[in-house]
Amino acid sequence: MTYCVAMRLRAGLLFASDSRTNAGVDHIATFRKMSIFETPGERLITLLNAGNLATTQSVLSLLRQRLHQDGPHLLNVPSMYQAAELLGRTLREVVERDAGSGTLSQGVDFGANFLVGGQIRGEPPRLFHVYPQGNFIEATEDTPYFQIGESKYGKPIIDRVIDFDSSLTEATKCTLISFDSTIRSNLSVGLPLDLLLYRTDSLAPAQPHRVDGDDPYFNRLRRGWGEGLRRVFARLPDEDWFR
Amino acid sequence: MTYCVAMRLRAGLLFASDSRTNAGVDHIATFRKMSIFETPGERLITLLNAGNLATTQSVLSLLRQRLHQDGPHLLNVPSMYQAAELLGRTLREVVERDAGSGTLSQGVDFGANFLVGGQIRGEPPRLFHVYPQGNFIEATEDTPYFQIGESKYGKPIIDRVIDFDSSLTEATKCTLISFDSTIRSNLSVGLPLDLLLYRTDSLAPAQPHRVDGDDPYFNRLRRGWGEGLRRVFARLPDEDWFR
């Protein structure tokens, strides 16, 4: 499985993904789930993926290969909307190719979910969730974040602390806590994490961070959050249910 | 959907369930998911159910009907193991009857999960998770709790604070917080909650509690937990990711 989060805040964009891929518990591997397409000063587009690894790798290979061909590609589409549309079309193309005949598919789920966000000069930053069917929705001020993969364990903390006006620093802190909760409760999500922050209108070169188990900040957060939760829990009132 | 939790601790047993049932978002109803079978002084058996409502209601109707017939039933089986076995057999009987022909089933999932726990005099308290297939597993000191239904949102807090030596008071506090997190993040889980606590070896009559949105203790917990989390979050260190 996988866990990815992306947020579109007033201050900018956040992308985070784990790196564990598994087909059963005895076939676990590490794959990067974050892909960056950029022309500094003009556009930055980031993709996060979850789902069938053959499908997501093929989609990314085709998107990269087509950067050098005529026709629309991620470095020439004029808007993020068209980037999401192109991604959706490519996803459908791969799934139709691989699942197409049906006779060999034997119940395999060829589907994949993508988060695609970024900024192209002339537009504000935008963020989309592309579904396995190739259609997509866009993040808004009311719903400023999307998750794909094992999203449930880490959702409550985001729901409690994040809104459109959160800072990128707060959003990162919250995202790392959300990953910590997920990793503790679900073996199929694992370190290292890939993290990318983008400041609105900067159009600066991407500086992705890799956060592993030795990362001192991540470890301070994990410890502080775990201790803080237990402290809050211990101080909450008790009730005598047998009275 | 549904969310149910049961715990088997040194101090006793805890059972909790929400009461929302839905078939799509436009068909929402309230159904109790906790059933109690007891002979005070001799046995207390509690069932929690999640899954197809027709299946769970039929299983419970058959279990109740058979209390007045010859043969094994929940008030005469000599052990909790046999109670779990009887439940599993009844579940298989209902699913085979309803899904049996196949021609009418049209992709409906007839499955259901049950948690069944309690104490029969002469045995310690025991707790089982009965799967849709009718087989079952038992809680141990290492894994003292089971969840069924929408379990993921509320799992991290239980993983962090509960072990076999937790008190029933702590376990109840943690369970109510786990329900609060689930209800906030998932519309298909809703109040009121049913809560039953049982002290090891008491064999006392069951005193179930119903916790609704007006419950003063639940509201103090929700408020205290939400404020406490935001306070812990705000005090955690910030990192400058753009340095």
Side-chain angles (χ1 to χ4, degrees):
Chain A
M1 205 53 185
T2 288
Y3 178 38
C4 300
V5 178
M7 299 182 184
R8 174 187 157 258
L9 310 172
R10 192 182 303 283
L13 298 162
L14 172 151
F15 301 90
S17 53
D18 85 313
S19 57
R20 186 160 294 174
T21 300
N22 69 304
V25 290
D26 55 350
H27 191 164
I28 291 184
T30 300
F31 282 94
R32 194 182 187 85
K33 298 163 191 174
M34 178 184 287
S35 310
I36 298 168
F37 295 81
E38 63 178 334
T39 306
E42 198 271 327
R43 72 178 59 205
L44 172 74
I45 300 179
T46 303
L47 274 63
L48 303 177
N49 61 264
N52 185 299
L53 182 63
T55 298
T56 57
Q57 285 193 340
S58 258
V59 168
L60 291 165
S61 289
L62 288 173
L63 290 172
R64 284 214 190 81
Q65 186 174 302
R66 288 168 185 171
L67 296 178
H68 312 291
Q69 299 174 352
D70 290 341
H73 56 65
L74 286 180
L75 294 182
N76 71 8
V77 288
S79 70
M80 281 304 300
Y81 181 88
Q82 280 153 291
E85 211 180 4
L86 174 65
L87 172 57
R89 202 158 58 234
T90 312
L91 175 57
R92 270 195 294 261
E93 174 187 342
V94 170
V95 173
E96 279 164 13
R97 180 195 72 190
D98 288 356
S101 81
T103 53
L104 292 174
S105 60
Q106 302 185 320
V108 169
D109 181 359
F110 291 92
N113 283 275
F114 282 85
L115 302 181
V116 53
Q119 184 168 20
I120 293 177
R121 193 158 53 189
E123 277 199 325
R126 297 174 75 176
L127 170 65
F128 297 84
H129 177 174
V130 180
Y131 293 109
Q133 291 73 24
N135 58 344
F136 47 87
I137 59 172
E138 182 169 5
T140 62
E141 295 194 17
D142 291 329
T143 302
Y145 78 94
F146 290 139
Q147 303 168 291
I148 54 177
E150 276 292 355
S151 58
K152 296 184 180 184
Y153 305 100
K155 187 169 188 290
I157 180 63
I158 303 179
D159 284 339
R160 284 186 199 269
V161 305
I162 293 299
D163 62 35
F164 188 67
D165 289 309
S166 299
S167 71
L168 286 173
T169 305
E170 281 175 315
T172 308
K173 195 158 79 170
C174 175
T175 298
L176 292 176
I177 292 169
S178 174
F179 271 88
D180 180 42
S181 295
T182 306
I183 288 168
R184 275 173 197 277
S185 288
N186 192 303
L187 262 188
S188 75
V189 176
L191 296 172
L193 311 178
D194 290 299
L195 174 68
L196 178 67
L197 301 173
Y198 172 78
R199 271 199 280 235
T200 297
D201 295 335
S202 71
L203 295 168
Q207 294 198 310
H209 302 272
R210 187 149 257 217
V211 178
D212 61 23
D214 303 329
D215 188 277
Y217 177 63
F218 187 44
N219 281 319
R220 279 170 67 204
L221 275 192
R222 299 173 95 162
R223 207 168 39 239
W225 182 246
E227 287 167 3
L229 284 198
R230 282 188 293 273
R231 206 164 51 235
V232 171
F233 182 79
R235 286 185 193 160
L236 286 175
D238 288 330
E239 175 86 343
D240 177 10
W241 294 93
F242 291 100
R243 68 165 181 272
Chain B
M1 209 51 183
T2 289
Y3 178 37
C4 300
V5 178
M7 300 182 183
R8 175 188 156 256
L9 310 172
R10 191 182 303 283
L13 297 162
L14 173 151
F15 301 90
S17 53
D18 84 314
S19 56
R20 186 160 292 174
T21 300
N22 69 303
V25 289
D26 55 352
H27 192 163
I28 290 184
T30 300
F31 283 94
R32 192 182 188 85
K33 297 161 191 174
M34 178 184 288
S35 310
I36 297 168
F37 295 81
E38 62 177 335
T39 306
E42 199 270 328
R43 74 179 58 204
L44 172 74
I45 300 179
T46 303
L47 275 63
L48 303 177
N49 61 265
N52 186 300
L53 182 62
T55 299
T56 57
Q57 285 193 339
S58 261
V59 168
L60 291 165
S61 290
L62 289 174
L63 290 173
R64 283 214 190 81
Q65 187 175 301
R66 288 169 185 171
L67 296 179
H68 311 291
Q69 299 174 354
D70 290 341
H73 57 66
L74 286 180
L75 294 183
N76 71 8
V77 289
S79 70
M80 283 302 302
Y81 181 88
Q82 279 151 292
E85 210 179 6
L86 174 65
L87 172 58
R89 201 158 60 232
T90 312
L91 176 57
R92 271 195 293 259
E93 174 187 341
V94 170
V95 173
E96 279 165 11
R97 181 194 71 188
D98 289 358
S101 82
T103 53
L104 292 173
S105 62
Q106 302 186 321
V108 168
D109 181 358
F110 291 92
N113 284 274
F114 282 84
L115 301 181
V116 53
Q119 184 168 20
I120 294 177
R121 195 160 48 189
E123 277 199 325
R126 298 173 75 176
L127 170 66
F128 297 85
H129 177 174
V130 180
Y131 293 109
Q133 291 72 26
N135 57 345
F136 48 87
I137 58 172
E138 181 169 5
T140 61
E141 295 194 15
D142 290 331
T143 302
Y145 77 94
F146 290 138
Q147 304 168 290
I148 53 177
E150 275 294 354
S151 59
K152 296 184 181 183
Y153 305 102
K155 188 169 189 289
I157 180 63
I158 303 179
D159 284 340
R160 282 184 201 269
V161 303
I162 293 298
D163 62 37
F164 188 67
D165 289 309
S166 300
S167 71
L168 286 171
T169 305
E170 280 176 316
T172 308
K173 195 158 81 170
C174 175
T175 298
L176 292 175
I177 292 168
S178 173
F179 271 89
D180 180 42
S181 295
T182 307
I183 288 169
R184 275 173 197 277
S185 288
N186 191 305
L187 262 189
S188 75
V189 177
L191 296 173
L193 311 179
D194 290 299
L195 175 68
L196 177 67
L197 300 174
Y198 171 78
R199 270 199 282 234
T200 297
D201 295 335
S202 71
L203 295 168
Q207 294 198 310
H209 301 273
R210 186 149 260 215
V211 178
D212 62 23
D214 302 330
D215 186 277
Y217 177 63
F218 186 46
N219 282 318
R220 278 169 69 204
L221 275 192
R222 299 174 95 161
R223 209 170 38 243
W225 182 247
E227 286 167 5
L229 285 197
R230 281 188 292 274
R231 207 166 49 236
V232 170
F233 182 80
R235 285 185 193 159
L236 287 175
D238 288 330
E239 175 86 346
D240 178 10
W241 294 92
F242 292 101
R243 71 170 178 268

